Amino acid sequence: PPPPPPDREYVFEDVHFDFDRYNLRLGATRLLDEVVAALEEDGDLRIEIEGHTCNIGTSEYNQALGERRAVAVRDYLTSRGIPAGRLRTVTFGEERPMHDNAREETRRLNRRAALVVRLQ
């Protein structure tokens, strides 16, 4: 018999946000529509949506902002027909920066929602 097909590997781009905002930018829907297509194609796929911020503001404020960013992404995906049970949100606020927070040009890259793949 032929060998089984290789496991699919999913890597999604981060959704970036403007400073102190959690509304989706215009380009974000293109990225998220790719996530919708993958979720529709693979019923075992689950997504964890991580909300992140830069280090400007208090830790408590950034935790809440990170949560609002994750929820904005989740809400878009569910509005496109993805069941909420396949999505999980978590917030890290400023705790897990991907880039250096010392300079604005890299700090802005930390204002994001990361989509982490979970296979059932």
Side-chain angles (χ1 to χ4, degrees):
D7 288 337
R8 294 205 46 175
E9 188 171 309
Y10 299 94
V11 178
F12 300 113
E13 291 181 49
D14 290 346
V15 176
H16 288 92
F17 294 86
D18 293 326
F19 176 71
D20 201 28
R21 298 282 184 256
Y22 58 92
N23 53 309
L24 297 176
R25 293 178 176 176
L26 290 177
T29 56
R30 178 188 55 80
L31 298 173
L32 292 174
D33 287 344
E34 293 174 15
V35 177
V36 169
L39 284 161
E40 288 174 342
E41 184 177 306
D42 187 341
D44 292 332
L45 188 61
R46 304 287 183 266
I47 301 289
E48 183 173 273
I49 307 160
E50 300 177 347
H52 297 273
T53 68
C54 66
N55 64 345
I56 297 175
T58 66
S59 178
E60 295 80 16
Y61 182 83
N62 286 332
Q63 282 293 115
L65 180 57
E67 178 66 22
R68 288 191 296 272
R69 288 174 175 172
V71 167
V73 170
R74 183 198 63 204
D75 289 352
Y76 179 82
L77 296 174
T78 58
S79 78
R80 297 294 314 269
I82 302 302
R86 297 180 65 192
L87 308 169
R88 178 175 174 258
T89 61
V90 62
T91 181
F92 292 107
E94 64 188 66
E95 295 173 9
R96 292 190 182 177
M98 182 176 276
H99 303 279
D100 180 20
N101 271 313
R103 299 183 352 256
E104 176 55 28
E105 52 270 14
T106 52
R107 189 169 36 239
R108 67 182 172 78
L109 298 173
N110 289 324
R111 301 173 188 139
R112 70 193 197 284
L115 296 118
V116 179
V117 173
R118 302 279 185 240
L119 293 173
Q120 185 170 316

